[in-house]
């Protein structure tokens, strides 16, 4: 679709469980350390439900395997960006990268996610729109994923439909709004 507007929603499974990225990512952070913790779905879910005490080295191993999955997901996003550049579509692209939740890794006695703690709620939302958004701008205020659709519409110069939840993030990005917003989880 070289000359047509294109929309693509890409949901990457990593870094969700199981924490089994392909080479060269697997072992990037755990190389040389013995597998002290089973990072399969069934094991992680079983530990989450049991609230067992897990040794710190096992927690560290699970975090490192998670980080390997994050590195794999990052590489996949990088391939997408490279493809857009190779096809001359990057300069017109609006790219949004976000996570659906964080993981607890035994904070508050939880291994994965499920309860409303910062470890689960505070996730990145990254917007890239060359020429339309300032590069490297960080918004310190709390925002919500409900703000994504209104922000997309604002960037495209389209009105936000009445009754749509969320608000454009553009006032926070351009500095015309500085207050924290209320949001619910």
């Amino acid at each position: 679709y070289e000359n047509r507007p294109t929309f693509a929603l890409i949901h990457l499974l990593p870094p969700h469980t199981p924490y089994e990225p392909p080479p060269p990512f697997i072992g990037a952070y755990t190389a040389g350390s013995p597998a002290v913790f089973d990072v399969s779905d069934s094991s992680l879910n079983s530990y989450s439900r049991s609230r067992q005490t897990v040794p710190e080295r096992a927690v560290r191993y699970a975090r490192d395997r998670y980080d390997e999955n994050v590195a794999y997901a990052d590489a996949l996003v990088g391939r997408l960006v490279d493809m857009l550049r190779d096809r001359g579509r990057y300069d017109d692209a609006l790219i949004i990268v976000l996570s659906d939740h964080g993981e607890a890794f035994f904070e508050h006695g939880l291994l994965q996610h499920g309860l409303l703690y910062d470890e689960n709620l505070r996730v990145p939302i990254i917007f890239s729109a060359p020429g339309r958004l300032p590069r490297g701008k960080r918004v310190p205020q709390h925002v919500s994923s409900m703000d994504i659709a209104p922000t997309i519409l604002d960037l495209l110069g389209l009105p936000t439909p009445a009754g749509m939840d969320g608000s454009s993030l553009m006032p926070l990005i351009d500095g015309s709004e500085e207050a924290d917003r209320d949001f619910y989880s």
Side-chain angles (χ1 to χ4, degrees):
Y1 305 109
E2 297 297 324
N3 299 315
R4 293 185 4 200
T6 305
F7 174 83
L9 171 66
I10 301 170
H11 179 186
L12 300 176
L13 200 49
H16 288 86
T17 58
Y19 304 148
E20 297 288 340
F25 305 97
I26 194 162
Y29 301 114
T30 57
S33 49
V36 295
F37 190 77
D38 180 2
V39 291
S40 68
D41 283 328
S42 59
S43 172
L44 293 170
N45 288 330
S46 145
Y47 273 99
S48 287
R49 284 189 299 273
S50 72
R51 305 244 182 185
Q52 296 176 36
T53 300
V54 177
E56 180 56 36
R57 66 188 178 98
V59 173
R60 201 169 34 255
Y61 180 80
R63 281 185 183 145
D64 288 345
R65 289 299 295 271
Y66 175 81
D67 288 345
E68 291 169 354
N69 252 11
V70 170
Y72 175 46
D74 183 61
L76 293 173
V77 171
R79 286 175 50 192
L80 174 64
V81 169
D82 290 344
M83 181 198 70
L84 290 170
R85 284 191 174 116
D86 292 346
R87 295 188 176 165
R89 302 289 305 264
Y90 179 76
D91 290 337
D92 293 328
L94 167 59
I95 300 169
I96 304 166
V97 178
L98 69 142
S99 178
D100 54 346
H101 58 78
E103 299 291 13
F105 292 109
F106 298 102
E107 297 289 327
H108 311 286
L110 300 170
L111 174 57
Q112 293 178 291
H113 57 276
L115 297 179
L116 302 179
Y117 292 108
D118 277 354
E119 294 82 10
N120 304 123
L121 297 176
R122 293 183 59 127
V123 297
I125 300 176
I126 302 167
F127 283 81
S128 171
R132 291 178 280 174
L133 290 173
R135 185 178 168 104
K137 168 75 176 188
R138 185 181 175 110
V139 172
Q141 296 89 343
H142 291 107
V143 300
S144 170
S145 58
M146 289 191 314
D147 299 329
I148 293 171
T151 304
I152 292 170
L153 293 171
D154 196 1
L155 283 165
L156 296 175
L158 300 171
T160 301
M164 177 180 259
D165 289 332
S167 302
S168 173
L169 297 173
M170 291 309 295
L172 295 174
I173 293 168
D174 68 21
S176 62
E177 182 183 324
E178 295 183 5
D180 271 332
R181 298 175 176 196
D182 291 331
F183 65 95
Y184 300 95
S185 299

